[in-house]
């Protein structure tokens, strides 16, 4: 259907609407104020799906046909791409389709005079599907028609407001929301304060979301080829994860430079790709946690773990670490990177490359290590997850010990308490024959503890501390 034909369909429907006193009208929250709009019924073939819908924006960023859709969103080919993205992006599409089949369309969509749907794109697609399947008796859709003087800013703003009022709730994911706010600002020419008022946020929250989207763009380009930005979607509750990461990276950038900031993002991407990027884990994944805790956990992770540790450590640069200036007192609170160590960045990058390869290989995939050996991707991922959990536990223990200068004493005090409880536990079972199979393992652990105690004493000797 041509653009002129679509416009004529809508004009004829509006003319018929004006001649009926009982014709339906609904209030809609335009930025100029609540406005009563005429609701008309038009054929399903008339509307053009919205190529700038916030819901599909993240998917279009990395879609092979994204440029084509942006250049001519109303072309048949672009509409087919948009149709597929709309259909796949709604989490509750099947529930909505069932409702449309059994109950029909409840709420009207919103359409421009030229026939572009502002919302109800999913309903339009699913209703067209139902018509093709012979499951819908009426080949028509109800839409509220916008005034002729509505410009791009009001259109963007209206979709942003309407998305909070959807039936069959499927709120935009985090990336869609962030891209929506950026579009309101850059293309809709709305100020941060205007966006905040319309979206019921504080101006500070709007600026934070702009910063988080910028961090996402930075993070996805640390992987080669770049990650799809929609990979950072998910529930809006994940905003807290990104907020804490953004605050931490900003401090590292200011203190050590963007290269160090990139390294910490990579440390978090390792967890994100493994599905372990929760707030709880992120707080333990302090700068340098890969080098300080994860590599050690890998060396204890069996044959494959040791091999992965070797891959990461042999990739390290031989450059000597450069001490951070003594004037920076913050390093006492930063357990991860006490020096600007270029070797750490190489290890982190090598581990991230391996994690990307394993997660992209798929369940039946194979990952080839630098030594030429090949391993099942699921086995690699399991080792990476298990060792990440162990590394995070160690990082949590270190964080709980407080500032760096106090940490040795606090950790030794905790070790003494735990060892005392271990002694009690041994005395409780020492006369039980059933404990016999466990004796060798406990003795081996005691040997390891003795070795660690000797190492600690040797380290303290440089301060002139002698055994009492």
């Amino acid at each position: 259907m041509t653009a002129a034909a679509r416009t004529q369909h809508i004009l004829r429907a509006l003319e018929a609407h004006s001649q009926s006193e009982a014709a339906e009208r609904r209030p809609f929250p335009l930025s100029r104020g609540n406005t009563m709009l005429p609701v008309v019924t038009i054929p399903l073939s008339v509307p053009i799906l919205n190529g700038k819908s916030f819901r599909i924006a993240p998917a279009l960023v990395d879609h092979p046909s994204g440029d084509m859709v942006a250049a001519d969103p109303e072309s048949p080919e672009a509409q087919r791409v948009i149709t597929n993205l709309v259909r796949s992006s709604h989490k509750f599409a099947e529930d909505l389709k069932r409702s449309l089949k059994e109950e029909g369309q409840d709420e009207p969509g919103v359409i421009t005079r030229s026939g572009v749907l502002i919302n109800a794109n999913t309903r339009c697609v699913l209703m067209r599907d139902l018509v093709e399947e012979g499951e819908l008796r009426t080949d028509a859709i109800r839409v509220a028609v916008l005034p002729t003087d509505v410009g791009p800013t009001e259109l963007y703003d209206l979709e942003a407001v309407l998305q909070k009022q959807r039936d069959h709730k499927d709120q935009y994911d985090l990336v869609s929301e962030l891209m929506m706010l950026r579009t309101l600002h850059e293309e809709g020419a709305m100020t941060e304060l205007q966006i905040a008022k319309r979206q019921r946020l504080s101006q500070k929250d709007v600026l934070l979301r702009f910063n988080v989207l910028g961090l996402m763009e930075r993070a996805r380009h640390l992987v080669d080829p770049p990650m799809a930005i929609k990979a950072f979607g998910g529930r809006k509750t994940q905003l807290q994860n990104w907020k804490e990461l953004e605050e931490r990276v900003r401090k590292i950038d200011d203190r050590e430079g963007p290269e160090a900031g990139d390294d910490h993002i990579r440390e978090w991407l390792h967890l994100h790709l493994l599905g372990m990027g929760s707030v709880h884990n992120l707080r333990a994944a302090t700068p340098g946690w890969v080098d300080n805790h994860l590599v050690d956990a890998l060396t204890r992770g069996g044959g494959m773990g040791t091999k992965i540790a070797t891959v990461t450590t042999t990739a390290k640069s031989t450059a000597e670490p450069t001490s951070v200036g003594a004037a920076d007192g913050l390093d006492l609170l930063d357990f991860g990177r006490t020096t600007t160590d270029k070797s750490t960045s190489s290890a982190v990058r090598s581990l991230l490359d391996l994690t990307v390869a394993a997660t992209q290989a798929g369940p039946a995939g194979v990952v080839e290590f630098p030594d030429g050996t090949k391993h099942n991707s699921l086995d690699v991922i399991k080792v990476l997850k298990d060792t990440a959990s162990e590394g995070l536990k160690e990082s949590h223990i270190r964080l709980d010990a407080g500032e760096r200068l106090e940490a040795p004493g606090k950790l030794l005090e905790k070790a003494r308490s735990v060892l005392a409880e271990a002694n009690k536990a041994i005395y409780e079972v020492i006369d039980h024959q059933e404990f016999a199979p466990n004796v060798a393992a406990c003795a081996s652990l005691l040997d390891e503890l003795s070795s660690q105690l000797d190492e600690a004493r040797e380290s303290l000797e440089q301060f002139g501390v002698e055994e009492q």
Side-chain angles (χ1 to χ4, degrees), residues 76-96:
E77 186 177 357
Q79 286 290 297
R80 281 192 290 272
V81 172
I82 296 169
T83 295
N84 291 332
L85 291 177
V86 166
R87 190 185 287 119
S88 63
S89 65
H90 197 293
K91 297 184 183 67
F92 309 116
E94 288 303 315
D95 291 339
L96 178 53

Side-chain angles (χ1 to χ4, degrees), residues 287-312:
W289 84 278
V290 166
D291 197 56
N292 292 339
H293 304 295
L294 180 53
V295 172
D296 287 343
L298 281 166
T299 60
R300 303 190 302 271
M304 187 178 297
T306 302
K307 187 170 289 188
I308 293 173
T310 301
V311 168
T312 59

Side-chain angles (χ1 to χ4, degrees), residues 55-56 83-97 100 120-123 125-126 166-172:
R55 181 178 295 282
I56 65 172
T83 295
N84 291 332
L85 291 177
V86 166
R87 190 185 287 119
S88 63
S89 65
H90 197 293
K91 297 184 183 67
F92 309 116
E94 288 303 315
D95 291 339
L96 178 53
K97 187 175 182 179
L100 290 168
N121 287 270
T122 306
R123 278 172 280 175
V125 167
L126 297 180
R166 292 184 176 274
D167 52 350
H168 290 271
K169 292 291 184 182
D170 179 22
Q171 296 183 343
Y172 291 170

